[in-house]
Amino acid sequence: MRVGLLGLGRIGAFHAGTLAGLVEDLVVHDENGELADRIAIALNARTGDPFDADAVVIATPTGSHAELLIEACARGVPAFCEKPAAPDVPETLKVLEAVQRSGVLVHIGFQRRFDAGYQAAREALLKGELGRLDRVHMITGDPAPPPAAYIAKSGGIFRDCHIHDFDALRWVTGREVETVYATGSNRGESFFAEFGDVDNSAAVLTLDDGTLATLQGSRYNGGGYDVRMELAGTIATRAVGLDPRVPLTSAEGLQPPGDPWPGFQSRFEAAYRAELIAFLRAVQETGESPCSVDDALAALYIAEAADLSRNQDRPVRLPEVIA
């Protein structure tokens, strides 16, 4: 199987190492030709046209995703693309139209769907082990903020960071979000406010069956990288991410035995590998996307509602932002 890879930044280089062990022929490409040559040599891959392949993996900056996905559809090449499918709703709708018109398989990278903890929580809920789900709590805390240049183009904390929480919420519960009430604050660097963003966030979401979900986030979680989800039902509660490296110390003196997770890449290393394997299997066998552009659009709508809610200081119903 020949797979092309576009983009060799931090996550792209990581994907390159994974793909080199999974496929017979890996073709890499980056705007930095020297970087592409260096990685190709290190991984026994080669440089060239990444679309001249059985499948393509897109790990370029967000602003290029829509154009590259539409090109993949036009050339009939199944594509895996890191989230988001596009930076905004209109561009995402263009990608969706291209996918529907071409019938090409497109998988958007929301790696939490392939994390063992999230999968176990979803299975427990589906089996009825939690009883009726009443409450969900989600946390995403980065140990340190990205640079100002990244925040300037990120789309804000709800679109850039919490969109993972929104996708996981839909996937684990199998429900849709009806209403969002979100807020945020600026506690750190001034550039967040300068770009209309916040560095600490919170939200209350109501699902279509009345389940309540709460969300907290931060760009300054000094204890370490913290990503968790708690599902409380009438029979039992499940917690995702409460592992030996969770950056928590209880007031009663209990402390996790391992060092805290330093960032998302190490925390979700196994999930990133699993989602690429799932994509390749979909290309070769099932023909069905493990996470479609429709899924990406649904998560983006929730992020849009959260941002509108924060800006207008009011609850927002999803139909207000759905095109």
Side-chain angles (χ1 to χ4, degrees), residues 4 29 33 38 66 74 77 87 91 154 201 250 261 284 306 317:
H29 175 82
R38 187 164 64 249
V77 182
E91 288 297 304
S154 71
S201 52
S250 78
W261 294 107
Q284 292 181 305
R317 293 182 60 81

Side-chain angles (χ1 to χ4, degrees), residues 107-190:
H107 175 183
I108 305 301
F110 283 98
Q111 85 281 356
R112 294 187 195 182
R113 293 180 176 224
F114 301 89
D115 175 76
Y118 285 92
Q119 290 179 336
R122 181 175 187 258
E123 184 176 355
L125 184 60
L126 287 172
K127 288 182 175 179
E129 295 175 6
L130 277 62
R132 184 191 67 230
L133 182 65
D134 285 340
R135 292 172 288 111
V136 181
H137 182 55
M138 301 172 291
I139 295 174
T140 295
D142 293 325
Y150 178 88
I151 294 299
K153 298 179 180 180
S154 71
I157 195 168
F158 293 109
R159 296 184 188 88
D160 173 58
C161 176
H162 290 311
I163 198 164
H164 283 289
D165 296 289
F166 301 146
D167 179 72
L169 179 63
R170 293 184 64 249
W171 185 72
V172 170
T173 67
R175 311 302 308 193
E176 299 295 342
V177 173
E178 282 195 343
T179 306
V180 181
Y181 190 15
T183 187
S185 64
N186 295 102
R187 309 281 290 170
E189 294 284 352
S190 61

